[in-house]
């Protein structure tokens, strides 16, 4: 019988969350040298150089200055903020920064950072992360004022202790000419840290869908079941049952939920019933994409999960990023079959 994600209930000790703050496996080997800038987008080559300069400054900040007693204390950390559209290689650049910095160091999405603080508490989080040379935060989000202020306060404490911060965020498609406004939003929301960050624009088309056809047609239920049964390590879930199971798990456990899975199959997919369900699907999409797990579905197309009403609301960036990643995963599955 094919396994189901709905039958998995992973247990993740809170203290393990910090140890798991590393780049997704698909970025294990990336570097500035392996980043191929689009020749038609000079901002990409400029971002590579800015990343290299940040590493140099961040290393110096961590080394700090020698006191009159011969001891070294860290200088204030430095910051870099990479702003651009979906799929322009910002995560590749962020992981390249991570790989060049000394241990200990951390790499996590904005949501994962909030999960760490929620699990450990603010004071313990500062204590655990204050010895790090850098905190790399992918997909910094500004749509939840409470989370934004929490992370801003955390980063203020950490930079004062010599920890440098590298962050990425997305500008919506159609607003690529308005990157400065996105940067201004970011700097305004992190108020006390605005002087630390250098903002770098990264333009270009989404490489995940460059010159590719629209969303693949869903499989039939019969074909989906057959694919799951013949694929070792695959899971097969009904969409509604999976959504109900996700509601019982803290999002910090979604990474462990898909650990070791080779293919995720979901039947009877349909537009999300409400924002809560949709936001859980965003987190699951991120964890699947981070792990490079192919996705095959039956029912509606993957670019129809988030309704027009949702896409017009405050979580538009989240939903568009998730759609981009879900489509990429579905194409992984097509190639595998």
């Amino acid at each position: 019988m094919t396994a189901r994600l709905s039958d998995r209930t992973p247990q993740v000790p809170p203290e393990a969350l910090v140890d798991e703050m590393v780049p997704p496996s698909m970025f294990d080997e990336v570097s500035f040298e392996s980043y191929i800038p689009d020749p038609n987008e000079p901002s990409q080559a400029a971002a590579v150089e800015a990343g290299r300069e940040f590493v140099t400054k961040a290393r110096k900040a961590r080394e700090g200055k020698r006191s009159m007693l011969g001891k070294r204390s860290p200088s204030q950390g430095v910051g870099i903020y990479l702003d651009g559209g979906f799929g322009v290689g910002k995560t590749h650049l962020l992981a390249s920064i991570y790989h060049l910095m000394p241990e200990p160091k951390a790499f996590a999405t904005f949501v994962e950072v909030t999960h760490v603080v929620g699990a450990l508490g603010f004071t313990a989080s500062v204590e655990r992360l204050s010895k790090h040379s850098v905190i790399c935060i992918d997909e910094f989000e500004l749509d939840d004022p409470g989370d934004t202020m929490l992370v801003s306060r955390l980063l203020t404490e950490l930079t004062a202790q010599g920890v440098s911060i590298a962050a990425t965020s997305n500008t919506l498609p159609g607003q690529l000419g308005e990157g400065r406004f996105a940067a201004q939003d970011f700097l305004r929301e992190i108020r006390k840290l605005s002087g630390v960050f250098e903002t770098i624009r990264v333009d270009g088309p989404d490489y995940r869908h460059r010159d590719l056809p629209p969303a693949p047609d869903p499989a039939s239920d019969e074909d989906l079941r057959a694919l799951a049964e013949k694929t070792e390590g695959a899971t097969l879930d009904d969409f509604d049952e999976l959504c109900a199971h996700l509601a019982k798990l803290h999002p910090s456990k979604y990474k462990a939920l898909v650990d070791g899975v080779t293919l995720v199959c979901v039947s009877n997919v349909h537009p999300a019933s409400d924002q809560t369900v949709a936001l859980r699907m965003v987190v699951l999409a991120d964890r699947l994409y981070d792990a490079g797990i192919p996705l095959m579905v039956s029912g509606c197309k993957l670019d129809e999960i988030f309704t027009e009403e949702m896409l017009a609301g405050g979580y538009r960036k989240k939903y568009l990023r998730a759609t981009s990643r879900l489509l990429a995963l579905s194409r992984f599955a097509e190639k595998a079959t």
Side-chain angles (χ1 to χ4, degrees), residues 86 143 172-175 275 279 282 306-323:
F86 304 105
D143 46 30
L172 290 174
Q175 292 185 335
Q275 297 273 20
L279 290 172
V282 169
F306 307 113
T307 66
E308 290 298 323
E309 182 180 4
M310 292 175 182
L311 292 175
Y315 297 117
R316 176 173 167 81
K317 284 188 179 183
K318 287 179 186 283
Y319 296 145
L320 289 175
R321 183 188 76 232
T323 298

Side-chain angles (χ1 to χ4, degrees), residues 38 41 44 85-89 176 203-210:
D38 186 330
E41 294 293 346
Q44 294 188 8
F86 304 105
V88 295
L176 296 183
D203 287 314
D206 187 339
Y207 77 90
R208 289 189 283 266
H209 309 298
R210 198 177 297 160

Side-chain angles (χ1 to χ4, degrees), residues 1-222:
M1 182 177 178
T2 306
R4 303 193 314 159
L5 292 178
S6 303
D7 294 329
R8 293 184 165 202
T9 307
Q11 302 299 317
V12 182
E15 59 273 12
L17 294 177
V18 173
D19 297 332
E20 294 178 352
M21 295 173 75
V22 297
S25 57
M26 68 174 64
F27 296 103
D28 283 348
E29 305 298 329
V30 302
S31 64
F32 289 124
E33 289 76 17
S34 66
Y35 181 89
I36 309 299
D38 186 330
N40 298 316
E41 294 293 346
S43 65
Q44 294 188 8
V48 172
E49 292 308 309
R52 293 181 189 277
E53 292 175 5
F54 168 81
V55 170
T56 299
K57 294 177 182 177
R59 281 177 169 272
K60 289 181 178 179
R62 196 60 194 170
E63 291 172 0
K65 298 179 180 179
R66 192 178 299 277
S67 69
M68 294 181 64
L69 298 177
K71 296 183 178 180
R72 284 189 175 275
S73 58
S75 304
Q76 180 171 358
V78 296
I80 187 170
Y81 167 67
L82 303 173
D83 176 57
F86 304 105
V88 295
K90 299 187 305 297
T91 303
H92 182 132
L93 294 172
L94 193 66
S96 300
I97 288 171
Y98 172 91
H99 291 315
L100 289 176
M101 291 296 293
E103 297 280 2
K105 52 191 174 181
F107 184 110
T109 65
F110 178 89
V111 172
E112 288 172 325
V113 173
T114 64
H115 291 165
V116 167
V117 178
L120 297 181
F122 185 84
T123 301
S125 297
V126 171
E127 183 177 350
R128 286 290 302 273
L129 296 172
S130 62
K131 302 297 188 295
H132 285 51
S133 65
V134 69
I135 309 294
C136 296
I137 304 177
D138 204 15
E139 310 293 356
F140 203 104
E141 298 177 358
L142 302 175
D143 46 30
D144 187 313
D147 283 347
T148 301
M149 293 304 297
L150 174 69
V151 175
S152 177
R153 181 184 167 207
L154 174 71
L155 300 186
T156 299
E157 294 276 353
L158 293 177
T159 54
Q161 298 186 48
V163 182
S164 292
I165 310 295
T168 75
S169 187
N170 287 320
T171 297
L172 290 174
Q175 292 185 335
L176 296 183
E178 303 174 14
R180 294 304 172 193
F181 294 104
Q184 289 171 8
D185 290 343
F186 173 80
L187 296 176
R188 182 185 65 248
E189 293 299 333
I190 59 171
R191 294 179 182 89
K192 293 182 180 179
L193 285 174
S194 60
V196 170
F197 280 89
E198 177 186 9
T199 60
I200 303 296
R201 181 72 192 162
V202 191
D203 287 314
D206 187 339
Y207 77 90
R208 289 189 283 266
H209 309 298
R210 198 177 297 160
D211 302 321
L212 291 175
D217 290 327
S220 67
D221 288 338
E222 294 75 16

Side-chain angles (χ1 to χ4, degrees), residues 285-325:
D286 286 342
R287 300 293 79 76
L288 291 174
Y289 185 77
D290 288 348
I293 301 173
L295 171 68
M296 185 71 79
V297 304
S298 69
C300 76
K301 292 185 177 181
L302 287 168
D303 60 358
E304 298 173 355
I305 290 180
F306 307 113
T307 66
E308 290 298 323
E309 182 180 4
M310 292 175 182
L311 292 175
Y315 297 117
R316 176 173 167 81
K317 284 188 179 183
K318 287 179 186 283
Y319 296 145
L320 289 175
R321 183 188 76 232
T323 298
S324 172
R325 292 183 165 185

